Amino acid sequence: LENISNKDKSYTFKTRKIKEISYSAKKDSNNYDIFGIINYYDDKGNLKLGANIKVSLNSGNETLKSTITDENGKWSILLPKKDFNNKNLEVIFQFENKYWDITDGDKNYVWKVQEIKGLTSDIDTGVITPIKDSESAKVAFIHDIYNRYMKFFKKENVEYESWWKKINTVWPGSSNYYSSGTVNLTDADHWDVNGHEIGHAMTAIGTNSQMGGGQHKIDECYTESLAWSEGFASFLSGVVSLEKNDNDAKFEFLVPRRAPIRLENIPENVCKEITNEWRVSTAMWDIYDTNIDGKDSASIPFKTIFSALGNKNKKVKSIKDAFSYIKELVDENAKKQIDSVFEQNF
């Protein structure tokens, strides 16, 4: 990575100002307002609002104050004039917050926004981005998947403050996997694979699921718990990145041997049992999506699905368990629709 400095605990990268700020400093006679906006580019090259990014003001090796950007990428830090007049400061940001961080395992990724030589007024740092198409800017691709999860949970009215423990993320990792609170990722632009591995983390911390382990091939059968663990993670990757009315919802990078992995129109030569992860993810998608195909006319709200799977008194060990617990929360018509989906997929 094209770092401009290599400290003991971090790599530091350059940023680019793409425009000036469109709002003014807070009028406060007692404080200096240092403020700005952060954007980033996603894996498709789209400019995104830089939500949930940690911005810090440093003096030497000391962090004086930090904040998190809002949903529009805006941030502001107030410093008392009596304490900070004429201070030299450095403004940096990291793709980190209380819900997740992204490191290389040993060091943090840090972006330098601006050096302030002798603070004597409010500071407008402008609209800043990591440098587009640089290797370091790929960290934002992973951050964007996390943002999709948070945005999706908010849209679906899923409460997450009580269960979302901080997820450590290592990129680049030696392989793609989730273990003991840490997500390891190899390719920052593989949105579906990354969504799947983060999906494992969400399953572990947000549901009462039995996490299966071991070797698995997406078109073969193994154990009910492994199929559930892998299939539900793929389902979660789908719900945060694909449209629920898509009549050919599919992944791009997941399992190249069988790509594209479709959540509709699953091939007939895929093992048709509840011990197959592809069938599990397809069945979960069928009860959630709004596309009607075959016997699938169900469209269960995600909040209902997630609530059923988070019951601390009911362990989810298979898709059969999941469907049973979801049926307890829906009306008779929806129960029949869920049964039809099960029959169609298994």
Side-chain angles (χ1 to χ4, degrees), residues 140-242:
F141 302 170
I142 300 168
H143 180 82
D144 190 59
I145 299 299
Y146 278 109
N147 269 344
R148 292 181 202 179
Y149 269 96
M150 181 170 284
K151 187 176 180 179
F152 179 77
F153 287 148
K154 288 179 179 178
K155 179 174 72 74
E156 298 293 324
N157 295 311
V158 173
E159 185 279 322
Y160 55 80
E161 289 289 348
S162 64
W163 57 264
W164 192 333
K165 299 176 183 176
K166 189 167 187 175
I167 303 168
N168 302 312
T169 313
V170 175
W171 176 78
S174 58
S175 59
N176 295 299
Y177 65 96
Y178 167 77
S179 177
S180 303
T182 300
V183 169
N184 295 264
L185 304 172
T186 58
D187 297 281
D189 61 342
H190 287 194
W191 58 271
D192 46 2
V193 177
N194 299 340
H196 172 91
E197 298 305 338
I198 294 170
H200 276 306
M202 297 299 177
T203 305
I205 63 179
T207 76
N208 188 15
S209 291
Q210 180 168 309
M211 304 292 285
Q215 294 294 317
H216 55 94
K217 292 185 178 180
I218 198 166
D219 45 10
E220 296 181 3
C221 284
Y222 12 91
T223 66
E224 292 182 2
S225 61
L226 180 55
W228 166 251
S229 176
E230 294 297 329
F232 189 65
S234 293
F235 165 69
L236 290 178
S237 182
V239 299
V240 300
S241 292
L242 301 173

Side-chain angles (χ1 to χ4, degrees), residues 250-270:
K250 58 183 178 292
F251 296 122
E252 184 178 3
F253 300 104
L254 200 66
V255 192
R257 177 176 62 86
R258 293 299 303 252
I261 300 299
R262 287 182 158 86
L263 290 170
E264 304 276 9
N265 313 311
I266 188 168
E268 283 299 319
N269 64 352
V270 175

Side-chain angles (χ1 to χ4, degrees), residues 246-313:
D246 189 344
N247 63 6
D248 189 24
K250 58 183 178 292
F251 296 122
E252 184 178 3
F253 300 104
L254 200 66
V255 192
R257 177 176 62 86
R258 293 299 303 252
I261 300 299
R262 287 182 158 86
L263 290 170
E264 304 276 9
N265 313 311
I266 188 168
E268 283 299 319
N269 64 352
V270 175
C271 178
K272 200 171 184 179
E273 301 289 342
I274 66 171
T275 51
N276 174 261
E277 66 177 273
W278 196 345
R279 298 283 180 185
V280 167
S281 58
T282 299
M284 289 302 302
W285 183 262
D286 280 347
I287 67 167
Y288 160 78
D289 74 340
T290 56
N291 179 56
I292 298 175
D293 65 295
K295 297 178 180 179
D296 165 28
S297 60
S299 183
I300 310 300
F302 182 83
K303 182 179 181 180
T304 302
I305 293 171
F306 209 70
S307 295
L309 305 180
N311 189 323
K312 293 181 179 179
N313 299 315

